[in-house]
Amino acid sequence: MHVATKCSANANVEKGSKGVVANRRNPAKSCRTNNALRAVRVDRQCASEGRPDELHRRGGSGVATFLATCVASATLLGAPLDASAVVGGKGNASTPLSGLDLSNQDLRNNDYTKSVLKQTKFDGSNLTGVSFFACFAKGATFQGANLSLADLEQGDFEGANFTNAVLEGAFVNAANFTGIELEGSDWTDVVLRKDVYQQLCAVASGTNPTTGVDTRDSLSCG
């Protein structure tokens, strides 16, 4: 295992952009509200029947389908997409998040575990501590994003763009980084397998504009 170490005592991670203010005329917001009410109804029903664990099994597919309808409606109406309306919850691998633009948002409360994120844009977003565990994010973009302490384990990030991203302390065990762009990214304190370390060092270059850390130094490339 290889551990990248801090290269600048003064390197600080920017906390990211402010959260998005929901538009009262945004269809996605209405969908989110209705979806929350639906979840409460299902939860109460399961609780009254003495089956609290039934919520995930009964509500999971329905919630994913409902979200798909909301996203489609918002897209057709040209409304700005509220990221909190399309959170990829655990097990929601079918939630349609591919190709969405979730750039420049505060997404720290979101969970993209096992989500399908093909070519989704997270450029400039604050993703500190967010789970991308076992997600499919081929071709996704994280340019300038804050992924500090994020869980990328077992995720497929083939061809993803991490240019100028901050990944300080991120968890990346068994993640696929084949063909990624990482110029100017900061990998300080990230634990890497030897083969992945060699793969990243072979193309590492640049300096992170947020932390001021050299990419090769953050990876401890020789």
Side-chain angles (χ1 to χ4, degrees):
M1 304 289 281
H2 179 84
V3 182
T5 56
K6 285 185 177 293
C7 303
S8 172
N10 297 319
N12 294 310
V13 178
E14 194 67 30
K15 291 302 181 181
S17 56
K18 296 180 180 179
V20 175
V21 178
N23 190 321
R24 297 177 64 183
R25 304 176 69 86
N26 187 346
K29 180 182 178 183
S30 299
C31 286
R32 184 177 76 257
T33 301
N34 292 332
N35 188 42
L37 293 174
R38 177 184 181 281
V40 170
R41 288 197 297 270
V42 174
D43 191 22
R44 287 177 177 173
Q45 179 180 353
C46 292
S48 66
E49 296 174 1
R51 294 177 290 116
D53 294 334
E54 191 73 355
L55 174 61
H56 177 72
R57 188 169 67 83
R58 291 182 55 179
S61 60
V63 170
T65 301
F66 192 85
L67 283 172
T69 302
C70 294
V71 172
S73 299
T75 301
L76 289 174
L77 292 174
L81 190 61
D82 187 341
S84 60
V86 290
V87 178
K90 293 183 178 180
N92 287 350
S94 60
T95 305
L97 303 179
S98 292
L100 296 183
D101 188 349
L102 302 179
S103 301
N104 301 310
Q105 299 188 43
D106 188 340
L107 306 176
R108 288 174 293 177
N109 293 324
N110 290 11
D111 183 354
Y112 299 106
T113 297
K114 298 183 180 179
S115 293
V116 179
L117 305 166
K118 186 176 181 180
Q119 297 182 339
T120 300
K121 296 181 178 180
F122 293 97
D123 302 333
S125 289
N126 190 347
L127 298 160
T128 303
V130 171
S131 175
F132 287 91
F133 180 83
C135 72
F136 180 73
K138 185 175 182 179
T141 61
F142 299 89
Q143 297 185 66
N146 187 349
L147 288 157
S148 299
L149 302 176
D151 183 0
L152 311 183
E153 294 189 340
Q154 298 185 36
D156 186 351
F157 299 94
E158 181 179 354
N161 190 334
F162 290 94
T163 300
N164 296 331
V166 177
L167 297 97
E168 184 172 358
F171 304 93
V172 301
N173 184 49
N176 178 15
F177 292 121
T178 302
I180 68 170
E181 295 182 49
L182 68 157
E183 181 179 0
S185 54
D186 184 350
W187 297 74
T188 299
D189 294 334
V190 176
V191 180
L192 300 167
R193 289 199 323 260
K194 184 176 180 179
D195 60 321
V196 177
Y197 160 71
Q198 294 174 337
Q199 171 191 336
L200 298 185
C201 282
V203 295
S205 65
T207 300
N208 188 270
T210 301
T211 64
V213 175
D214 182 89
T215 299
R216 293 185 63 81
D217 286 346
S218 73
L219 290 164
S220 294
C221 298

